[in-house]
Amino acid sequence: MSLQIPAINNQGTSQALDVSESVFGQDFNETLVHQLVVKYMAAARSGTKAQKNRSAVSGGGAKPFRQKGTGRARAGTTRSPIWRTGGVNFAAQPRSFDQKLNKKMYKAGIRSIFSELLRQERIAVCDDILPASPKTKEFLAKIKDIDAKRILVVADELNENLILAARNLPYIAVVTPTSVDPVSLVSADKVIATTAALKQIEERLA
């Protein structure tokens, strides 16, 4: 059984596209999609924060003063965390925030997102969205009838004209089927894809 993704016809060259229900007709799994989004955003964290503990701070090898008779608390090193020049207690170290998610779960989550986009009429096919020149004005003319604040364009391949025409528009994101991510899909008010791109997505998620 197949479903249809509606077409946006600027020049009459696009037609509604039949797609598989196994990819675009799934129930929305909010728990899985949330897990998918959290994993993606966590993996984007750099995790490069670093501090020095008492063993990493240079110096401090000599006992700063004699053990008894000074009236001060005994000390064996100037690099203790209670000293101004000392190390840090429980010092932060570089780490990865990436979370494990099985490939089957990832694919199921992306299928769920695409299915919900289709149900909410937030996805459409348009083959004439690619500009003939690297002019932002020409690209805006192609999307002027799309009523959306944030638009995600999925092209089967990134040509230079599309990249140059869209890069100055903060509310437009351009990706390929291999680089589609859950955060971009969820946050987009409208997803515009070429026929070839949707076919590639269907093959990857089948």
Side-chain angles (χ1 to χ4, degrees), residues 52-70:
K52 291 184 178 182
N53 56 24
R54 62 185 294 164
S55 67
V57 179
S58 62
K63 188 174 176 65
F65 46 80
R66 59 185 179 162
Q67 179 79 350
K68 304 175 77 67
T70 64

Side-chain angles (χ1 to χ4, degrees), residues 57-132:
V57 179
S58 62
K63 188 174 176 65
F65 46 80
R66 59 185 179 162
Q67 179 79 350
K68 304 175 77 67
T70 64
R72 298 187 63 183
R74 57 192 176 186
T77 175
T78 57
R79 300 302 183 256
S80 166
I82 64 174
W83 283 61
R84 184 179 62 82
T85 56
V88 177
N89 270 327
F90 312 111
Q93 299 298 320
R95 56 170 289 194
S96 171
F97 289 93
D98 194 17
Q99 301 178 10
K100 185 181 185 308
L101 193 70
N102 297 333
K103 288 182 179 179
K104 286 184 178 180
M105 293 176 67
Y106 186 86
K107 283 187 174 182
I110 296 295
R111 284 196 295 265
S112 181
I113 293 173
F114 272 112
S115 300
E116 188 66 13
L117 288 173
L118 182 56
R119 273 190 293 271
Q120 296 181 0
E121 298 181 352
R122 287 165 54 197
I123 186 171
V125 59
C126 183
D127 287 321
D128 56 353
I129 198 168
L130 304 179

Side-chain angles (χ1 to χ4, degrees), residues 20 27 29 57 61 63 76 103 106 127 131 136 175 179:
S20 171
D27 293 333
N29 189 334
V57 179
K63 188 174 176 65
K103 288 182 179 179
Y106 186 86
D127 287 321
T136 302
V175 295
S179 59

